[in-house]
Amino acid sequence: MVSKGELDRAMELCDNTAAVESSMLKKGIARIGRPFDEINVSMENAAVHELSKLEKNVGFIATTSGAAPMLGFFGTVIGMIQVFNEIASSPGQAEVKDLADGIFTAMGTTAVGLAVGIPTYLMYNYLTLKTGAVTEKLQKIASNFMDLINKPS
């Protein structure tokens, strides 16, 4: 549409398309006829804005993936303190059943920490890869658009 000079139709298509690249291209189309650098900067700003929306909660996922195993390890330490406290406070030899609560706490918190940490770590890496792919796609689309509007007649 842009190459045919149908800028209004191209803008309408961008408005009706729910894609990251649509808002970036709309900024570029709206500035056709202005200096090349102005178009480029406008499109870059739109891309940065769209990417920041994609990355909005990725930090929370990263924090969760790192903190969950540490919290599990913290529970392991608490459980082992319980075990050693039971051993130290026993008048004779500590019974296994008396140690079981501390061991249960230690193993349970470790398992929960890993059960939360591993999937969130995988999700974080997946989202990071997807965001990188979107970034690459936006750069390619912007480059192609700039080549299109800068093509000698």
Side-chain angles (χ1 to χ4, degrees):
M1 290 177 202
V2 170
S3 63
K4 294 177 185 175
E6 299 173 357
L7 302 184
D8 290 337
R9 282 190 60 211
M11 292 284 281
E12 186 179 330
L13 179 61
C14 288
D15 285 335
N16 295 326
T17 304
V20 175
E21 58 267 27
S22 296
S23 66
M24 180 188 71
L25 285 171
K26 184 178 176 185
K27 292 287 186 178
I29 294 166
R31 284 162 179 74
I32 289 177
R34 293 192 177 168
F36 194 72
D37 288 343
E38 184 179 329
I39 297 169
N40 196 31
V41 167
S42 177
M43 290 178 66
E44 283 179 12
N45 289 340
V48 167
H49 177 72
E50 291 299 321
L51 288 170
S52 70
K53 289 193 299 189
L54 288 177
E55 296 171 337
K56 182 179 176 187
N57 294 316
V58 174
F60 173 75
I61 294 171
T63 300
T64 302
S65 75
M70 287 191 286
L71 288 171
F73 180 64
F74 180 67
T76 301
V77 171
I78 298 290
M80 295 314 294
I81 289 171
Q82 290 173 340
V83 169
F84 287 115
N85 185 46
E86 188 62 39
I87 292 170
S89 63
S90 298
Q93 196 157 6
E95 296 290 322
V96 172
K97 69 178 186 71
D98 295 330
L99 304 178
D101 284 341
I103 294 169
F104 179 79
T105 298
M107 295 296 97
T109 57
T110 299
V112 170
L114 292 173
V116 172
I118 291 169
T120 54
Y121 180 70
L122 295 172
M123 180 59 72
Y124 168 76
N125 283 313
Y126 172 77
L127 292 173
T128 300
L129 287 171
K130 292 298 267 184
T131 302
V134 170
T135 301
E136 191 175 313
K137 181 180 180 183
L138 288 174
Q139 289 171 338
K140 184 177 179 181
I141 289 170
S143 177
N144 289 342
F145 179 80
M146 297 305 281
D147 287 346
L148 175 71
I149 64 170
N150 199 36
K151 185 171 33 174
S153 3

